[in-house]
Amino acid sequence: MRILSIETSCDETAISIVEATGDFPDATYEISGNALYSQIDIHKEYGGVFPALAKREHIKTVVPMLKKALDEAGLLIEEKQELDADLKEKLTSLLEREEGLADELIRFFESHEIPQIQLIAVTTGPGLEPALWVGINFAKALSAILKTPVIPVDHMEGHILASIYDVVEDDKLASIAFPAIALLISGGHTELILIKDWITYEKIGQTKDDAVGEAFDKVARMLGLSYPGGPEISKKAKEARERNLPPYKADLPRPMLHSNDLSFSFSGLKTSVRYAIEGKTLSEDEVKALCRDFEDAVTEVLLKKAQDALTQYGASTLIIGGGVSANEYIRRAFQTELLSSHPDVEVYIPQPKLSTDNSVMIALAGHAHSKNAHQAGAVAYLKANGNRSL
Ligand code: KG4
Ligand code: ZN
């Protein structure tokens, strides 16, 4: 089954072509095309992601990404043809809110062969609704042109599957033991999910306020570092550790560490950083030390909550996913420290390139649910749900 997957939930416009051979979860997934455009440089100026701007950028880049993914997969074949007038009318109506996109897509398929695709997978949430709608309407339009069914995908399920893909056996999902716990840490989410069996999820913990990636981004902004803050803070913290710089604020709070539940909270930690720097001009080294102190506090909380969840549910697998799982220090902490408290737990961490948003993970999640795909063209039910939850 050849899957075309689309991800536009936040500030990455991504399209992949993935060839799935066999049934989920035992299939082999070969990535034959993988195109990703990051809008980070555009949002950097504003210090965060603006939904209307993200939408505009998705509209501008989604056809170029389609072209690139098809090209990589060897499916970009020039061919002149006239699309049916009814089809063109349908495309114009499906993409009426994405200015110029219908015409661009029609031009594209009037000069290229229509590829053979068996399933279109698209992120329908969670995420920024204006951004999600671009991907969804694009999927609907492609469904009409390619005569291919569409499957709606939960972005967070994508992160979970990305973490166990291509880490044990090439091109395959790891055969994990259940129950498993997933710790999802991204810019929009901080969640603990109990996975009782394949595609059977229950949310058992979440943040009461900021997501952990959001805390990284906001603290970075306070320190004058650029967006996204995670990688910036992580670089500075690393240097502070290598040079053994003295703490700037060793006693930053570890919010809800002993709350005896699986909830998180990061806004107090962020506020403590604000108080620690208010009215002061920090030296370069003090900034680095504070980045490390912050990263230490976050890591300690994440580790403790994951350990609590594993113990509480007797789980033998821990899956860490989401953009923050790209953080080197956090990755290492989970690989080493978790072993000492839970030696029998298998820990899965995504390859760095699949940690942050991408469309390969959307293809994996789409395949997991492919049996539920509606018929080609039956796309009215597809809706964006910014707060969609596993
Ligand atoms: O999963 P993701 O790409 O997008 C969302 O679904 O939100 O996660 C983005 C988040 C941002 O907040 C970014 O600062 C954070 O992941 N991030 C990191 C690192 N790389 C990305 N946080 C800490 N350390 C990193 N190395
Ligand atoms: Zn994400």
Side-chain angles (χ1 to χ4, degrees):
M1 173 184 276
R2 182 179 291 147
I3 305 167
L4 185 153
S5 57
I6 306 166
E7 157 62 38
T8 65
S9 69
C10 190
D11 57 353
E12 260 91 31
T13 318
I15 296 194
S16 306
I17 310 283
V18 174
E19 316 275 346
T21 311
D23 288 334
F24 178 87
D26 304 313
T28 300
Y29 298 97
E30 195 197 321
I31 306 170
S32 54
N34 188 14
L36 184 144
Y37 168 75
S38 170
Q39 306 173 0
I40 279 175
D41 286 343
I42 290 146
H43 296 293
K44 242 180 195 157
E45 273 181 54
Y46 305 91
V49 181
F50 273 78
L53 197 57
K55 171 179 170 168
R56 199 191 69 192
E57 289 302 306
H58 287 311
I59 294 171
K60 264 195 346 212
T61 43
V62 75
V63 172
M65 289 304 107
L66 172 70
K67 186 173 180 191
K68 183 161 185 268
L70 290 174
D71 193 14
E72 283 178 15
L75 297 169
L76 189 73
I77 296 152
E78 284 190 21
E79 185 184 285
K80 288 255 171 287
Q81 63 189 318
E82 176 93 23
L83 295 186
D84 191 85
D86 287 350
L87 175 60
K88 286 203 248 193
E89 204 175 304
K90 188 169 182 187
L91 296 175
T92 305
S93 136
L94 284 170
L95 294 169
E96 67 182 346
R97 284 161 189 267
E98 285 74 26
E99 211 192 316
L101 188 53
D103 288 344
E104 191 185 354
L105 192 61
I106 291 167
R107 271 199 308 278
F108 179 78
F109 280 111
E110 290 198 324
S111 50
H112 293 95
E113 195 179 288
I114 292 172
Q116 295 291 317
I117 303 283
Q118 281 74 47
L119 181 70
I120 296 168
V122 62
T123 307
T124 55
L128 306 169
E129 294 217 358
L132 287 163
W133 272 115
V134 179
I136 293 168
N137 288 333
F138 193 65
K140 290 182 179 187
L142 284 179
S143 172
I145 302 171
L146 309 179
K147 302 191 170 38
T148 303
V150 182
I151 188 83
V153 167
D154 185 297
H155 181 86
M156 304 315 285
E157 183 172 25
H159 276 303
I160 292 176
L161 294 177
S163 301
I164 57 168
Y165 169 65
D166 204 28
V167 284
V168 177
E169 225 183 306
D170 283 356
D171 301 339
K172 297 196 73 141
L173 297 173
S175 47
I176 56 173
F178 297 104
I181 299 287
L183 171 66
L184 299 179
I185 41 179
S186 71
H189 293 80
T190 300
E191 294 177 342
L192 279 161
I193 309 281
L194 171 66
I195 313 174
K196 296 173 194 155
D197 199 344
W198 291 107
I199 66 171
T200 312
Y201 308 100
E202 185 189 327
K203 196 185 292 176
I204 52 171
Q206 61 186 315
T207 180
K208 292 184 178 296
D209 39 60
D210 292 354
V212 59
E214 191 180 351
F216 267 97
D217 296 338
K218 287 180 175 168
V219 165
R221 201 157 147 185
M222 288 179 213
L223 296 173
L225 308 175
S226 66
Y227 175 84
E232 294 295 316
I233 290 193
S234 158
K235 250 186 274 167
K236 303 230 179 264
K238 185 175 180 195
E239 201 185 319
R241 279 190 198 95
E242 280 165 2
R243 292 175 45 213
N244 218 359
L245 293 177
Y248 180 79
K249 180 121 184 78
D251 58 346
L252 282 175
R254 272 64 174 153
M256 305 196 73
L257 193 66
H258 301 294
S259 63
N260 261 334
D261 62 13
L262 299 174
S263 301
F264 301 85
S265 162
F266 291 102
S267 84
L269 174 58
K270 172 194 72 189
T271 309
S272 299
V273 173
R274 176 171 296 132
Y275 288 150
I277 61 173
E278 219 162 41
K280 299 191 183 116
T281 310
L282 273 63
S283 69
E284 273 286 302
D285 281 359
E286 285 173 327
V287 169
K288 286 171 189 159
L290 182 54
C291 286
R292 178 205 48 207
D293 301 343
F294 170 77
E295 204 174 62
D296 281 345
V298 167
T299 308
E300 198 177 321
V301 173
L302 294 177
L303 260 173
K304 168 77 163 51
K305 295 287 173 178
Q307 285 164 329
D308 288 352
L310 289 167
T311 306
Q312 202 169 318
Y313 290 92
S316 35
T317 303
L318 177 67
I319 297 169
I320 302 164
V324 182
S325 69
N327 182 287
E328 245 183 76
Y329 184 70
I330 295 175
R331 293 168 81 87
R332 201 153 4 96
F334 273 94
Q335 279 155 341
T336 55
E337 287 176 47
L338 200 88
L339 263 186
S340 55
S341 64
H342 291 79
D344 300 327
V345 168
E346 200 73 57
V347 181
Y348 295 93
I349 302 179
Q351 302 173 26
K353 70 171 196 294
L354 292 182
S355 296
T356 48
D357 288 351
N358 63 84
S359 49
V360 171
M361 69 188 203
I362 304 307
L364 299 173
H367 190 242
H369 297 278
S370 58
K371 293 200 169 64
N372 300 327
H374 292 230
Q375 278 178 339
V379 290
Y381 70 98
L382 282 174
K383 288 195 170 44
N385 182 352
N387 301 315
R388 184 177 167 151
S389 177
L390 277 171

